[in-house]
Amino acid sequence: MVRDIKTFKFFEVLLIYEMLEVLKALAMMNATRKVVKISSKELAEHIGQSLQTAARKLKELEDEGLIDRTLTKDGQFVVITEKGKQLLYKEYMDYKKIFDDEGTIKIKGEVFSGVGEGRYYVSLEGYRKQFREKLGFDPYPGTLNLRIPKEEMYFRRRLDEERGILIEGFSTEDRTFGEVKAFKCRINGIEGAIVIPKRTHYPAEILEVISPVKLRDKLGLKDGDFVEVEVIL
Amino acid sequence: MVRDIKTFKFFEVLLIYEMLEVLKALAMMNATRKVVKISSKELAEHIGQSLQTAARKLKELEDEGLIDRTLTKDGQFVVITEKGKQLLYKEYMDYKKIFDDEGTIKIKGEVFSGVGEGRYYVSLEGYRKQFREKLGFDPYPGTLNLRIPKEEMYFRRRLDEERGILIEGFSTEDRTFGEVKAFKCRINGIEGAIVIPKRTHYPAEILEVISPVKLRDKLGLKDGDFVEVEVIL
């Protein structure tokens, strides 16, 4: 019984997708806005399918009330009905949702304790003043260290490819400090930034997050916990 | 030979649509923005297809570089690649195009000569002042009459269902003049409006267009010519 229902759903879904394909092709010819003259042969060529298939699909669309069709001595005229437009509009809204907010990604990472190196660098005024200017906050002196698991590495690698916000290097009397790439982010709603030193040997599976607050305390995190970082690319 | 090419294209198009279906389902789970944990069984249930089909489609998406997949002891992790996002984005832009400018329709009609009734009504100050206020122009005293062919009647009927812009009726000493429904429109780029008297016996296949200019002269129209009217609903 369950199997029957699934089989039905299988064909139903395929059918909707097949219908959508032709309906969308007609819509691209402006058939939502005007009556379009098109023979089944022309449609067949347009969608790259056989004449029989094109004719059958037009009939299905008509039977479902998705198009309105008129045959005259001059040929076949097709227009997409309100019901057809609604089906297309649902697709449109789905795609809109997919691409809304498209500039943000989410990466999961496991909290671990560093050796305090982050604290040292973040405290340097040469970086701090740029964090204030370019990120809009004065960071707590310390970083939250995250180890990115294997399956989350896709977006970790993406960060290496993205330009991010450039924090410039600087020199003191003793030494020089290199460039840092930053990405604004949020962890559980708290504002912060990922900082990635642009040096060659920085480990690929590590992310360090700075924030105006001490994230570990504010979010009650301990080593081994996983957190999700929403990164603005 | 031609047949072979068509057969190939047939499968190619179907394949892209099948791929899009699964890719879109993954995107709706936010797989463009984060790595999603999903078993082939879960995907199968989600898209209403068999486990074998779901597994095969994931493999196809991976082979085409549309998704990136990681298998760990914890399960299967999937993320949509930039190439996959581009394919989805193309669809999004297609749908956007379909629904851009969605409030306008186009109706074709055949020019014919009326009996001068239109000229009489348009000249009445009770209507004219409302045309100026509500349509934004003072109409040339006369209407362009269009007969709508059978195959174009879908949108002619739509106008009966739409509310349009209400031009109110009024009374003079002698008689009363009924309400008129108007729709702003353009004919070959010239501003105008369709006016439909709200009386019961107005013929269904007729449209009358008013405009600041004499459309027949301005567009060089004669009886029997066809024109396309872009109507703002």
Side-chain angles (χ1 to χ4, degrees):
Chain A
M1 190 59 195
V2 169
R3 191 171 177 81
D4 282 349
I5 288 168
K6 279 202 184 158
T7 309
F8 172 70
K9 204 179 165 200
F10 170 66
F11 284 112
E12 189 187 33
V13 170
L14 254 195
L15 196 64
I16 287 176
Y17 258 77
E18 283 198 24
M19 281 191 178
L20 258 178
E21 184 191 357
V22 179
L23 200 62
K24 188 192 148 209
L26 292 169
M28 295 297 288
M29 299 170 198
N30 285 318
T32 53
R33 283 193 277 265
K34 64 177 187 180
V35 176
V36 171
K37 185 184 176 193
I38 187 166
S39 68
S40 295
K41 186 162 173 288
E42 285 164 339
L43 179 66
E45 280 164 14
H46 193 84
I47 60 173
Q49 305 195 7
S50 73
L51 174 60
Q52 289 80 353
T53 305
R56 174 176 56 78
K57 287 188 174 179
L58 274 180
K59 175 132 193 357
E60 284 168 1
L61 290 175
E62 190 182 19
D63 290 346
E64 291 290 325
L66 301 170
I67 63 167
D68 193 281
R69 190 157 57 140
T70 311
L71 293 161
T72 77
K73 61 176 170 42
D74 295 322
Q76 175 170 264
F77 296 84
V78 173
V79 64
I80 295 172
T81 62
E82 283 303 294
K83 188 180 171 190
K85 269 178 78 174
Q86 277 163 20
L87 189 63
L88 291 167
Y89 197 72
K90 198 197 147 293
E91 285 294 300
Y92 177 39
M93 286 300 104
D94 281 353
Y95 280 103
K96 191 164 186 306
K97 202 172 154 197
I98 290 169
F99 287 100
D100 270 357
D101 213 22
E102 89 172 298
T104 69
I105 57 165
K106 287 175 179 170
I107 309 181
K108 272 206 191 83
E110 183 186 1
V111 176
F112 74 98
S113 295
V115 294
E117 238 194 345
R119 170 187 293 265
Y120 169 68
Y121 287 110
V122 174
S123 304
L124 293 169
E125 187 54 25
Y127 287 133
R128 269 183 74 186
K129 68 175 181 193
Q130 291 187 74
F131 291 151
R132 282 194 299 266
E133 284 165 17
K134 297 177 183 176
L135 303 177
F137 63 83
D138 194 30
Y140 167 85
T143 64
L144 180 72
N145 302 300
L146 300 177
R147 185 175 290 116
I148 309 305
K150 183 185 159 202
E151 66 270 16
E152 294 279 335
M153 284 300 289
Y154 179 81
F155 284 122
R156 175 64 190 83
R157 287 191 297 269
R158 268 291 297 282
L159 295 186
D160 286 336
E161 292 155 19
E162 294 286 332
R163 296 178 60 183
I165 298 164
L166 179 69
I167 307 295
E168 286 161 32
F170 58 93
S171 301
T172 62
E173 284 175 17
D174 310 345
R175 57 170 282 197
T176 60
F177 295 89
E179 285 182 352
V180 172
K181 190 156 70 167
F183 296 90
K184 289 189 183 183
C185 72
R186 283 184 292 270
I187 301 191
N188 292 5
I190 297 175
E191 173 194 31
I194 286 171
V195 284
I196 305 174
K198 282 193 172 180
R199 57 181 144 97
T200 30
H201 297 302
Y202 191 75
E205 75 283 9
I206 300 298
L207 279 186
E208 286 178 273
V209 185
I210 59 173
S211 164
V213 297
K214 187 176 181 183
L215 289 167
R216 192 179 270 263
D217 290 355
K218 186 84 180 180
L219 299 175
L221 297 171
K222 57 186 191 305
D223 284 2
D225 286 348
F226 277 85
V227 286
E228 191 174 66
V229 187
E230 190 177 356
V231 188
I232 299 152
L233 292 183
Chain B
M1 189 58 192
V2 170
R3 192 172 177 80
D4 282 350
I5 288 168
K6 279 202 184 159
T7 309
F8 172 70
K9 204 179 166 201
F10 169 67
F11 284 111
E12 188 186 35
V13 169
L14 254 195
L15 195 65
I16 287 176
Y17 258 77
E18 283 198 25
M19 281 190 177
L20 258 178
E21 183 191 357
V22 179
L23 200 62
K24 188 192 148 209
L26 292 169
M28 295 297 287
M29 299 171 199
N30 285 317
T32 52
R33 282 192 279 265
K34 64 177 187 180
V35 176
V36 171
K37 185 185 175 192
I38 187 166
S39 67
S40 295
K41 186 162 172 287
E42 285 163 338
L43 179 66
E45 280 163 14
H46 193 84
I47 60 173
Q49 304 196 7
S50 72
L51 174 61
Q52 290 80 353
T53 305
R56 174 176 56 78
K57 288 188 174 178
L58 274 180
K59 175 133 194 352
E60 283 168 2
L61 289 175
E62 190 182 19
D63 290 347
E64 290 290 325
L66 300 170
I67 63 167
D68 193 282
R69 191 157 57 140
T70 311
L71 293 161
T72 77
K73 61 176 170 40
D74 295 322
Q76 175 170 264
F77 296 84
V78 173
V79 64
I80 295 172
T81 62
E82 283 303 293
K83 188 179 172 191
K85 270 178 77 174
Q86 277 164 19
L87 189 63
L88 291 166
Y89 197 72
K90 197 197 148 290
E91 284 294 299
Y92 177 39
M93 286 300 104
D94 281 353
Y95 280 103
K96 192 165 186 305
K97 201 172 155 198
I98 290 169
F99 287 100
D100 269 359
D101 214 23
E102 91 172 296
T104 69
I105 56 166
K106 287 176 180 171
I107 308 181
K108 272 207 190 83
E110 184 186 2
V111 176
F112 74 99
S113 294
V115 294
E117 238 195 344
R119 169 187 293 266
Y120 169 68
Y121 287 110
V122 174
S123 304
L124 293 169
E125 186 54 25
Y127 287 134
R128 270 183 72 185
K129 68 175 180 192
Q130 291 187 73
F131 291 151
R132 284 193 299 267
E133 284 164 17
K134 297 176 183 177
L135 303 177
F137 63 83
D138 193 31
Y140 167 84
T143 64
L144 180 72
N145 302 300
L146 300 177
R147 186 174 290 116
I148 309 304
K150 182 185 159 202
E151 66 270 16
E152 294 278 334
M153 284 301 289
Y154 178 81
F155 284 122
R156 175 63 189 84
R157 288 191 297 270
R158 269 291 298 283
L159 295 187
D160 287 336
E161 291 155 20
E162 295 286 331
R163 295 178 60 184
I165 298 164
L166 179 69
I167 307 295
E168 285 161 32
F170 58 93
S171 299
T172 62
E173 284 175 16
D174 311 346
R175 57 170 282 198
T176 60
F177 294 89
E179 285 183 351
V180 172
K181 191 156 69 166
F183 296 90
K184 289 189 183 183
C185 72
R186 282 184 292 269
I187 301 190
N188 292 5
I190 297 175
E191 173 194 31
I194 286 171
V195 284
I196 305 174
K198 282 193 173 181
R199 58 181 143 98
T200 31
H201 297 301
Y202 191 75
E205 75 283 8
I206 300 298
L207 279 186
E208 286 179 272
V209 185
I210 60 173
S211 164
V213 298
K214 186 176 182 183
L215 288 167
R216 192 179 269 263
D217 291 355
K218 186 82 180 182
L219 299 175
L221 297 171
K222 57 185 191 305
D223 285 2
D225 286 348
F226 277 85
V227 285
E228 190 174 67
V229 188
E230 189 177 356
V231 188
I232 299 153
L233 292 185

